[in-house]
């Protein structure tokens, strides 16, 4: 299948006057796809919480281990990555197709800058398929309808939600969005989620200050509330833990970070 784009409607222009989370994370990870407004907001945050770049790196390493587990151990061959962010090293399709070249991946994001770079997300293996949807997490049924063009919902799918549910400020809505994304998927489907947590007082203060400036809003949840995102699912061992402690590579350090991750299986 050819690599393709799908848009859920008109694509807005890139707004470089306000910071955007995907571009701030790109900056913390050492990328160049960001603007001065993003750099300023990211540095303000880092001044208040110097460990933020380490938290960002923990998301990426958790994603690497989680997607590799899903492809290699759980046998998943289809991935729906919602809230993709800007392309970087070890994107979902690279990780999954490294294990099984026939994997099919659909990326979803609503940032027009991500759209401009999406071609980098579509260079997959000839045996598999990749697609990019310019769409929004808050319209899960529309996302799923478009994803059906590439993914077969009669077979298990892994939904990837890396750092995106923190932008859903209401806990009930966050749980509902997870439920709706998984609703049409068959037994054996999985969801991978990681997000920042309220486990550090300094981080909480930095996030509140950032939110008060009117920048991109982000909600730090407690580990208990984070775990409730997996209600009705079977947690894959070791369950809900700091990202660095989810199946770390043998001998690799696993320092505490204020970001948690987990993988759940739909019964």
């Amino acid at each position: 299948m050819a690599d393709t784009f799908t848009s859920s409607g008109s694509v807005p222009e890139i707004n470089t006057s306000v910071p955007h989370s995907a571009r701030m994370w790109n900056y913390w990870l050492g990328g160049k796809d960001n603007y001065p407004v993003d750099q300023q907001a990211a540095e303000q945050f880092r001044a208040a919480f110097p460990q933020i770049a380490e938290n960002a790196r923990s998301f990426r390493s958790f994603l690497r281990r989680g997607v590799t587990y899903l492809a290699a151990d759980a046998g998943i061959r289809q991935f729906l990555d919602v809230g993709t962010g800007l392309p970087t090293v070890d994107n979902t399709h690279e990780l999954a197709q490294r294990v099984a070249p026939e994997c099919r991946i659909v990326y979803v994001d609503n940032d027009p800058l991500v759209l401009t770079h999406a071609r980098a997300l579509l260079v997959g293996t000839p045996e598999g398929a990749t697609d990019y949807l310019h769409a929004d997490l808050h319209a899960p049924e529309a996302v799923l309808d478009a994803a059906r063009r590439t993914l077969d919902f009669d077979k298990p799918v892994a939904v990837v939600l890396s750092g995106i549910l923190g932008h859903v400020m209401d806990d009930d809505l966050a749980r509902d969005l997870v439920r709706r994304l998984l609703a049409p998927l068959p037994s054996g489907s999985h969801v991978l989620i990681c997000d920042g947590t309220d486990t550090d007082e300094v981080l909480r203060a930095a996030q509140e200050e950032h939110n008060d400036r009117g920048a991109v809003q982000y909600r730090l949840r407690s580990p208990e509330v984070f775990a409730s995102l997996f209600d009705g699912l079977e947690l894959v061992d070791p369950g809900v833990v700091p990202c660095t402690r989810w199946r770390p590579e043998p001998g690799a350090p696993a320092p505490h970070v204020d970001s948690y991750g987990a993988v759940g299986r739909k019964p």
Side-chain angles (χ1 to χ4, degrees):
M1 175 177 177
D3 300 326
T4 53
F5 286 91
T6 301
S7 175
S8 60
S10 61
V11 178
E13 294 184 0
I14 297 170
N15 186 347
T16 61
S17 66
V18 296
H20 191 282
S21 60
R23 304 193 304 253
M24 289 175 63
W25 280 80
N26 176 265
Y27 178 77
W28 285 324
L29 290 169
K32 301 185 182 303
D33 296 316
N34 48 74
Y35 295 95
V37 67
D38 309 304
Q39 299 161 15
Q40 180 181 6
E43 284 300 332
Q44 286 177 330
F45 201 112
R46 177 154 39 195
F49 184 69
Q51 294 79 25
I52 187 61
E54 184 177 356
N55 269 18
R57 289 191 294 271
S58 78
F59 277 45
R60 295 303 303 180
S61 61
F62 170 75
L63 177 70
R64 183 182 69 250
R65 298 192 308 277
V67 171
T68 300
Y69 162 81
L70 288 165
D73 298 319
I76 299 296
R77 296 294 179 263
Q78 303 186 107
F79 294 81
L80 178 61
D81 187 333
V82 184
T84 301
L86 289 159
T88 181
V89 296
D90 284 343
N91 298 295
T92 297
H93 76 280
E94 295 168 323
L95 296 164
Q97 292 179 346
R98 196 174 296 156
V99 175
E102 69 272 21
C103 284
R104 308 170 77 83
I105 294 88
V106 173
Y107 291 105
V108 182
D109 208 291
N110 67 346
D111 181 3
L113 184 61
V114 177
L115 176 61
T116 67
H117 290 269
R119 285 290 179 197
L121 295 171
L122 300 178
V123 184
T125 61
E127 301 95 326
T130 54
D131 194 3
Y132 178 86
L133 311 179
H134 188 83
D136 195 290
L137 168 67
H138 289 84
E141 286 76 22
V143 168
L144 292 164
D145 284 346
R148 288 178 188 273
R149 188 179 66 186
T150 302
L151 306 180
D152 179 358
F153 285 7
D154 290 330
K155 299 176 181 178
V157 176
V159 178
V160 176
L161 298 164
S162 177
I164 186 65
L165 288 174
H167 295 296
V168 180
M169 303 300 286
D170 182 86
D171 295 338
D172 289 335
L173 177 57
R175 284 187 286 264
D176 183 60
L177 290 171
V178 174
R179 179 190 61 77
R180 289 159 65 188
L181 282 169
L182 291 174
L185 305 182
S187 173
S189 292
H190 288 66
V191 62
L192 176 156
I193 307 175
C194 58
D195 261 310
T197 50
D198 65 355
T199 43
D200 184 280
E201 183 177 347
V202 176
L203 174 57
R204 291 199 303 271
Q207 190 64 62
E208 289 173 5
E209 180 182 353
H210 178 80
N211 289 351
D212 288 344
R213 284 197 295 267
V216 180
Q217 301 291 294
Y218 191 89
R219 172 159 168 69
L220 297 170
R221 295 186 164 90
S222 69
E224 293 76 20
V225 174
F226 177 84
S228 73
L229 299 172
F230 295 87
D231 285 353
L233 303 175
E234 301 168 348
L235 283 172
V236 172
D237 186 66
V240 175
V241 293
C243 285
T244 50
R245 299 177 185 172
W246 196 92
R247 298 180 177 240
E249 285 90 358
H256 175 80
V257 290
D258 299 290
S259 58
Y260 273 55
V263 175
R265 180 186 183 277
K266 184 174 180 179

